């Protein structure tokens, strides 16, 4: 895998990588790679002839300095994994390269970024939208792949691409889960063994809620019971557990053709998010 750090070297490296007829897929990451990220690279390889990844812990999207400081960093292991997964190029920009001292532009998406994570992590989606716009403009891939675990992030990125006319296909990839259903996340490593065991209640509760919504139970009752179930299972706080329209992220009060359950809850001081499509085929175990 070719490793690029300087923005100045990126353009030439991409030009050399991309022959006539090649297609380029980008997998943007913040490092601390787990099998969920490698599934994105594998999907990228299926869909394009060349694959690039980025590793950048984006300070702009952390509204909590402690969270940024605690974010796991393991560059050497990440590079080895990307190499093994068949990535052609990895760009690891230094923060000063993406955000020079006089950086003054902010990409902010109204509507879809306002509720849920947007409400609980002020500024988070501006940070995501700004960095993803910058990465897509610098790399100019044909397509970019993001995990569906961050469902709202994916919806925000789709809007950025559409509204700014970036002409990149934005693809979502199904959440990769552990044996017990817990969505893979770099944050899982921060859980104690006991909290890690209890954390499986999050996908289990979403799956139970999905089944109850599909069987026609009143939505507000299902959501209230599900929040309560998480607290009983060991979560200390439930920021939200909601049934929403998958595109607008607006809450739904009655059953629709397409629905998504979204949740964020804290266990052992670690905030976890997850989501699930509400159709009879979709289940936590994939
Ligand atoms: O999902 C992530 O890892 C990040 O939010 C992203 C999309 C790479 C932007 O920093």
């Amino acid at each position: 895998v070719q490793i690029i750090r300087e923005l100045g070297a990126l353009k030439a490296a991409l030009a050399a990588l991309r022959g006539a007829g090649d297609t380029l897929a980008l997998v943007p990451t913040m490092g601390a790679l787990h099998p969920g990220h490698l599934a994105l690279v594998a999907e990228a390889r299926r869909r394009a002839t060349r694959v690039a990844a980025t590793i950048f812990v984006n300070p702009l999207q952390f509204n909590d300095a402690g969270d940024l400081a605690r974010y796991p960093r393991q560059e050497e292991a990440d590079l080895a994994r990307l190499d093994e997964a068949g990535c052609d190029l990895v760009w690891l920009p230094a923060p000063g390269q993406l955000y020079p001292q006089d950086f003054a532009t902010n990409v902010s998406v109204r509507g879809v970024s306002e509720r849920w994570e947007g409400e609980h992590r002020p500024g988070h989606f501006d940070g995501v939208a700004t960095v993803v716009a910058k990465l897509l403009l610098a790399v100019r891939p044909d397509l970019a792949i993001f995990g569906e675990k961050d469902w709202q992030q994916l919806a925000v990125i789709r809007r950025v691409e559409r509204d700014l006319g970036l002409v990149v296909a934005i693809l979502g990839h199904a959440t990769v889960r552990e044996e017990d259903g817990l969505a893979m996340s770099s944050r899982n490593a921060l859980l104690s063994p006991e909290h890690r065991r209890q954390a499986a209640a999050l996908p289990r509760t979403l799956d139970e809620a999905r089944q109850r919504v599909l069987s026609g139970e009143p939505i507000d009752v299902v959501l209230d019971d599900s929040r309560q179930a998480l607290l009983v299972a060991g979560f200390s706080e439930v920021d939200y557990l909601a049934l929403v329209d998958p595109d607008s992220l607006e809450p739904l009060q009655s059953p629709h053709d397409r629905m998504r359950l979204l949740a964020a809850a804290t266990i052992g001081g670690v905030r976890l998010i997850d989501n699930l499509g509400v159709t009879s085929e979709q289940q936590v175990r994939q």
Side-chain angles (χ1 to χ4, degrees):
V1 64
Q2 195 178 354
I3 298 165
I4 301 290
R5 293 183 190 275
E6 300 299 316
L7 183 56
L10 181 68
K11 206 172 165 191
L14 287 169
L17 181 67
R18 224 172 162 173
D22 273 329
T23 49
L24 178 66
L26 178 67
V27 180
T29 81
M30 296 206 300
L33 303 182
H34 51 66
H37 293 108
L38 301 179
L40 303 183
V41 175
E43 182 68 23
R45 277 176 58 91
R46 280 191 288 275
R47 294 195 177 252
T49 57
R50 296 281 182 258
V51 176
T54 57
I55 299 178
F56 180 63
V57 183
N58 174 31
L60 230 56
Q61 72 188 72
F62 287 82
N63 55 314
D64 173 346
D67 201 20
L68 173 61
R70 279 203 306 168
Y71 200 83
R73 287 166 173 84
Q74 45 177 61
E75 189 182 298
E76 212 174 307
D78 287 345
L79 288 171
R81 285 192 181 125
L82 289 171
D83 190 23
E84 202 178 322
C87 203
D88 298 295
L89 181 150
V90 186
W91 180 31
L92 304 102
Q97 298 228 319
L98 286 183
Y99 307 125
Q101 275 211 331
D102 58 351
F103 188 78
T105 297
N106 183 44
V107 181
S108 186
V109 181
R110 285 191 298 276
V112 79
S113 70
E114 283 166 22
R115 289 181 190 268
W116 321 122
E117 286 305 283
E119 205 175 314
H120 289 274
R121 302 179 66 190
H124 169 66
F125 285 127
D126 283 15
V128 170
T130 304
V131 80
V132 170
K134 289 204 63 146
L135 297 173
L136 294 177
L137 286 167
V139 176
R140 290 257 159 218
D142 298 291
L143 59 107
I145 306 189
F146 300 86
E148 287 184 352
K149 176 177 165 281
D150 296 289
W151 185 266
Q152 191 175 9
Q153 165 174 284
L154 186 56
V156 170
I157 292 169
R158 287 191 202 283
R159 285 308 298 242
V160 171
E161 189 283 329
R162 199 177 92 183
D163 291 355
L164 298 184
L166 298 179
V167 200
V168 178
I170 304 295
L171 304 182
H173 187 276
T175 303
V176 179
R177 296 180 180 278
E178 304 281 0
E179 269 286 291
D180 61 1
L182 185 66
M184 287 196 183
S185 163
S186 315
R187 287 173 200 273
N188 296 352
L190 304 171
L191 293 166
S192 70
E194 174 66 358
H195 289 137
R196 168 62 192 83
R197 196 183 53 73
Q198 292 173 327
L202 180 56
R204 198 171 55 238
T205 302
L206 288 178
D207 201 26
E208 284 162 8
R210 177 189 68 84
Q211 291 173 42
R212 291 179 63 188
V213 169
L214 286 173
S215 71
E217 289 193 46
I219 288 168
D220 50 351
V221 174
V222 174
L223 297 179
D224 280 349
D225 287 355
S226 304
R227 288 181 204 111
Q228 197 52 39
L230 286 179
L231 296 173
V232 169
F235 282 80
S236 56
E237 225 174 316
V238 181
D239 283 348
Y240 57 84
L241 194 155
L243 184 72
V244 304
D245 175 277
D247 304 316
S248 71
L249 281 293
E250 287 298 310
L252 297 175
Q253 319 297 345
S254 59
H256 282 60
D257 284 350
R258 296 174 64 241
M259 301 179 273
R260 199 105 196 157
L261 281 158
L262 304 182
T266 300
I267 185 161
V270 181
R271 189 170 179 279
L272 302 177
I273 62 170
D274 202 352
N275 69 86
L276 197 59
V278 183
T279 62
S280 36
E281 303 87 54
Q282 176 114 31
Q283 283 180 346
V284 156
R285 286 176 185 280
Q286 294 178 354

